[in-house]
Amino acid sequence: MFTLPETRFDFGGDEYIYAEISRDMSEESNFKALAVTHELRKRQIPGILDICPSNSSYIIRFDPEAISAADLLEYLKEIDITKSNPSELNLRVRIVEIPIWYDDPLTQEYSRRFQERNVVRDPISNFELVMRLNGFSDKQRFIEAHAASPYLITMMGFIPGTAWEYPLGLAKEQIIQTPKYISPRTDTPGRAVGLGGAFTVIYPLQAPGSYQLIGMSAVPVFDQSQRLPDLQDSFFLARPGDIWKHRPVEEAEYRQIGRQVEEGTYRYRIKHVDFSTEEYFWDKTRYLKRLMEGF
Amino acid sequence: MLHIRDGGLQTLVQDTGRHMYYHLGVPPSGAADRYSFLLGNILLGNPFDYAALEITLLGPVIEVRKKTVMAVTGAPIDIKVNGQPAPMWETICVQEGDVLSLRSTSKGVKSYLCVSGGIQVPDVLGSKSTYTLSQLGGFHGRKLQAGDEIPIGEPLPGVFHHIGKRIPEEYIPKFSSSLDVRIVLGISSYRLSDEGLKAFLNAEWQVGLESNNIAYRYFGSSVSFNPAEPPFGAGNHASNAVDIVYPIGAIMAPSEHELILLLRDATTGGGFVTIGTAINADLDLISQSRPHAKTRFLSVTVDQAIEARLQKKKKLLTVQQLLR
């Protein structure tokens, strides 16, 4: 298996406990965050209000009038130490396909509009910036690199339905990374695909944002209109622990999928699988290949 | 029913907020100044979580279509019923056909119009609060406009016997242009240098113009980061951390010259260095501070934060007792 550094706990005001598993991002840290929060959710402790796994940490919101902050902290430490074995986290998860039009005109336009808030002021698009910072000169090769990996949903947050995606099965040096805007954009188009740090996110709706925009998802990740059959039980496409797969599409197919979404006839490509962290760490490449078969 | 003739700058349906969906990115929303909002419901004998209208700076003009009892609380605002001045922090009776106009606030930002029986819009994810960023809840997920018809509950039994009830003066909040915000330091404050942390605590900050229910921005001083490399996966700027779920009240430093403090409509996750978290008892005060208001951040312990919270709750319960 693997070992993890001891989790560092902090209070966030009088209502939150923040647990930092590691300062860096790693698959191990996220699997631990998922395992601890999963266990905590099962226990249904009165006074705990929200349980949120995040990338390499987790936060718990509690009612300090219902449960002692000090007691809860002790309790969490115990779960964190004894119940964070990722081998206990064998989850039924979904693999979901996300069609993306990379380097589209809309995200190019937003790159120009908010250039002065970005890390460089050169008149290049966010897409070109990310390519350059990651040593790509060929657009197709970059797109293939971004779309090749399955991505783990490591956390949700920001605005309703935003899911952080972290590429599975790659060594750190293979992961595409990028700085965020220095000052957040005041606007981002809904369904824009953004990169920040080692993560990919799809903006559920029009919102502020600080990630570099590299394309547009043809499908929504949040929808409260209940038009789409796959989003009728929940407004949210993502669940922490799920796996997403990006598929590059050209403009024509992007527009065709868009029409199906509008009409409410679009069906997401979804496959249900049992994910075993033990098997994954035993042989990542082979396990992912088997998991993603026919996808 | 309330017939809206003019929606004002931003009038929203709010209650005590939306809970249990934070892990899917849904912030609590709800009344920005919870204390003033709750005093309105207490005046009317409404349950604490009954929905009211939250008014920002410039209020609406409303034609009342049902005889009922109301109360206006929060930021001082000019109220007229059929052109005649009416008091704040007091229960007032309105007749069918009365025209209520709430115009500009002289201090503070948020006023509340509470109605006996509450504003009745459907619950979305367990709350009537409006979260405008995702057009969720409230009245069609948006601010009120001319022509909107807002359903209200039946006046509660006995409420007409309590017209003219008033909140005692000492329980009415002060709306100041200079405030102290208590915070619990931590989360990724280790990414600031010692001087940076000192500068953060010693400086007088100013509320920026781009401040709203989502977040307040502060300018006027600067912090400095530690020279150490940002951790793997964070992005390579000194202000980048691996993205976390933010607590409500989190104070981030996206750059050395700007602070962002998250309020109840917060973007609930992100990857900026987080210095600490404003205590729950001070969120009301923050959301009532206007652009250019002077703000100092005071570091307190978790125990002090909980004590402040309990004091505030005690105040509300005392008012409830006094008005019974």
Side-chain angles (χ1 to χ4, degrees):
Chain A
M1 229 24 202
F2 50 84
T3 54
L4 282 167
E6 202 179 329
T7 302
R8 187 182 67 88
F9 290 89
D10 242 347
F11 282 100
D14 44 325
E15 283 192 355
Y16 299 88
I17 293 178
Y18 169 76
E20 184 181 77
I21 297 164
S22 61
R23 291 182 186 183
D24 317 60
M25 179 57 193
S26 69
E27 291 165 339
E28 289 87 338
S29 296
N30 187 251
F31 284 129
K32 177 166 171 174
L34 290 171
V36 173
T37 51
H38 192 63
E39 172 67 26
L40 203 57
R41 201 175 289 281
K42 271 199 320 213
R43 295 190 183 192
Q44 300 192 331
I45 307 300
I48 291 184
L49 303 177
D50 285 300
I51 299 169
C52 312
S54 33
N55 293 320
S56 57
S57 58
Y58 54 93
I59 73 162
I60 308 298
R61 187 167 79 91
F62 66 101
D63 175 2
E65 293 162 43
I67 189 167
S68 139
D71 288 348
L72 180 58
L73 182 60
E74 284 312 306
Y75 188 84
L76 282 180
K77 282 183 175 169
E78 201 181 307
I79 293 178
D80 190 274
I81 291 165
T82 59
K83 289 284 173 191
S84 61
N85 184 353
S87 69
E88 292 182 25
L89 187 79
N90 292 330
L91 283 180
R92 183 107 180 124
V93 304
R94 303 167 315 156
I95 305 175
V96 184
E97 183 187 83
I98 310 287
I100 294 177
W101 180 13
Y102 286 92
D103 196 24
D104 64 292
L106 189 60
T107 59
Q108 287 173 8
E109 182 200 319
Y110 271 74
S111 304
R112 279 193 297 276
R113 201 190 303 172
F114 292 100
Q115 205 146 63
E116 79 286 357
R117 292 171 183 252
N118 210 345
V119 285
V120 292
R121 284 158 194 240
D122 309 2
I124 56 169
S125 69
N126 291 180
F127 185 92
E128 289 169 307
L129 175 70
V130 176
M131 267 183 54
R132 189 164 90 185
L133 292 175
N134 287 277
F136 286 89
S137 50
D138 181 71
K139 182 177 156 180
Q140 283 315 315
R141 282 198 50 209
F142 173 79
I143 292 173
E144 278 160 29
H146 185 262
S149 308
Y151 286 73
L152 176 70
I153 303 299
T154 49
M155 142 182 178
M156 291 181 72
F158 186 58
I159 64 169
T162 321
W164 270 256
E165 306 175 44
Y166 184 75
L168 281 172
L170 297 183
K172 280 184 178 177
E173 55 278 9
Q174 295 174 293
I175 293 175
I176 296 167
Q177 286 202 78
T178 171
K180 298 151 194 165
Y181 276 52
I182 301 258
S183 177
R185 278 183 309 273
T186 51
D187 190 19
T188 310
R191 293 190 286 106
V193 180
L195 293 185
F199 299 92
T200 296
V201 301
I202 296 169
Y203 287 81
L205 295 165
Q206 201 180 350
S210 58
Y211 277 29
Q212 308 289 344
L213 305 179
I214 60 157
M216 291 290 293
S217 162
V219 298
V221 297
F222 172 81
D223 181 36
Q224 51 170 327
S225 73
Q226 302 197 304
R227 259 176 326 184
L228 293 169
D230 299 307
L231 292 177
Q232 243 155 31
D233 298 337
S234 165
F235 301 165
F236 314 93
L237 179 63
R239 291 166 206 170
D242 276 357
I243 292 168
W244 284 5
K245 180 74 172 61
H246 306 130
R247 182 171 65 85
V249 296
E250 297 298 329
E251 180 174 2
E253 191 181 354
Y254 173 86
R255 300 214 180 278
Q256 186 207 338
I257 295 171
R259 279 192 295 277
Q260 291 174 351
V261 169
E262 279 302 309
E263 291 158 5
T265 55
Y266 181 80
R267 297 303 306 258
Y268 291 81
R269 224 176 131 221
I270 296 175
K271 179 181 165 188
H272 295 263
V273 293
D274 292 307
F275 190 86
S276 156
T277 47
E278 268 178 320
E279 285 185 61
Y280 173 70
F281 282 110
W282 186 256
D283 186 342
K284 291 184 187 181
T285 315
R286 188 183 292 178
Y287 185 67
L288 285 177
K289 202 173 162 207
R290 208 175 77 214
L291 203 66
M292 302 304 292
E293 238 159 52
F295 213 82
Chain B
M1 199 237 292
L2 303 178
H3 177 84
I4 307 298
R5 286 191 181 175
D6 175 348
L9 183 65
Q10 180 186 261
T11 304
L12 301 172
V13 178
Q14 299 286 21
D15 61 14
T16 48
R18 190 167 277 119
H19 302 288
M20 317 296 274
Y21 294 94
Y22 210 69
H23 66 289
L24 297 172
V26 186
S29 302
D33 175 0
R34 214 180 138 99
Y35 178 78
S36 294
F37 163 85
L38 289 176
L39 285 180
N41 273 339
I42 286 173
L43 264 175
L44 295 165
N46 277 344
F48 275 23
D49 60 352
Y50 267 31
L53 297 184
E54 178 179 272
I55 292 154
T56 301
L57 295 169
L58 181 70
V61 178
I62 298 170
E63 192 185 316
V64 181
R65 298 263 170 94
K66 187 192 304 187
K67 182 186 176 187
T68 190
V69 180
M70 294 180 165
V72 180
T73 62
I77 189 167
D78 182 37
I79 314 163
K80 289 197 171 77
V81 180
N82 301 326
Q84 294 303 307
M88 285 188 71
W89 306 101
E90 189 174 314
T91 49
I92 53 177
C93 186
V94 285
Q95 308 292 331
E96 189 179 334
D98 279 357
V99 176
L100 192 71
S101 84
L102 295 117
R103 300 321 280 182
S104 59
T105 46
S106 52
K107 284 191 247 172
V109 181
K110 305 286 184 188
S111 312
Y112 294 89
L113 174 66
C114 301
V115 187
S116 182
I119 302 288
Q120 295 294 338
V121 292
D123 282 3
V124 175
L125 301 178
S127 161
K128 299 188 193 316
S129 286
T130 320
Y131 174 51
T132 52
L133 197 54
S134 294
Q135 295 112 49
L136 207 70
F139 188 79
H140 303 302
R142 61 163 170 81
K143 62 184 187 181
L144 305 188
Q145 301 165 356
D148 287 346
E149 315 236 292
I150 313 299
I152 56 174
E154 284 302 317
L156 297 183
V159 72
F160 292 102
H161 299 310
H162 296 288
I163 294 156
K165 252 192 198 177
R166 221 182 134 68
I167 298 289
E169 201 58 39
E170 66 264 41
Y171 294 95
I172 296 175
K174 308 279 175 286
F175 300 93
S176 167
S177 58
S178 123
L179 63 158
D180 290 340
V181 171
R182 290 166 289 184
I183 63 153
V184 175
L185 287 174
I187 303 194
S188 46
S189 57
Y190 53 74
R191 295 278 300 279
L192 291 190
S193 66
D194 288 352
E195 302 77 58
L197 202 54
K198 269 185 214 144
F200 165 68
L201 289 169
N202 291 336
E204 192 171 77
W205 296 85
Q206 268 190 26
V207 175
L209 284 169
E210 284 176 9
S211 296
N212 51 35
N213 283 1
I214 301 169
Y216 261 54
R217 296 191 187 224
Y218 295 90
F219 299 93
S221 185
S222 63
V223 297
S224 53
F225 297 103
N226 268 324
E229 280 281 292
F232 172 79
N236 65 5
H237 190 263
S239 71
N240 292 167
V242 170
D243 296 57
I244 65 165
V245 171
Y246 293 131
I248 298 297
I251 303 168
M252 290 113 59
S255 74
E256 298 193 333
H257 309 289
E258 181 182 12
L259 301 177
I260 296 182
L261 192 159
L262 295 172
L263 292 176
R264 291 187 170 93
D265 278 5
T267 49
T268 66
F272 286 125
V273 164
T274 304
I275 305 170
T277 311
I279 71 171
N280 185 275
D282 286 351
L283 296 179
D284 298 341
L285 201 67
I286 296 164
S287 56
Q288 289 288 13
S289 62
R290 289 192 169 193
H292 306 301
K294 296 180 176 70
T295 305
R296 281 178 182 279
F297 297 102
L298 306 180
S299 165
V300 297
T301 65
V302 179
D303 286 343
Q304 288 169 319
I306 293 172
E307 180 56 28
R309 176 195 187 95
L310 294 176
Q311 285 301 327
K312 204 162 173 185
K313 188 177 181 190
K314 205 168 132 194
K315 254 170 104 174
L316 285 168
L317 295 177
T318 310
V319 179
Q320 196 182 25
Q321 286 291 329
L322 288 171
L323 294 180
R324 189 156 278 170

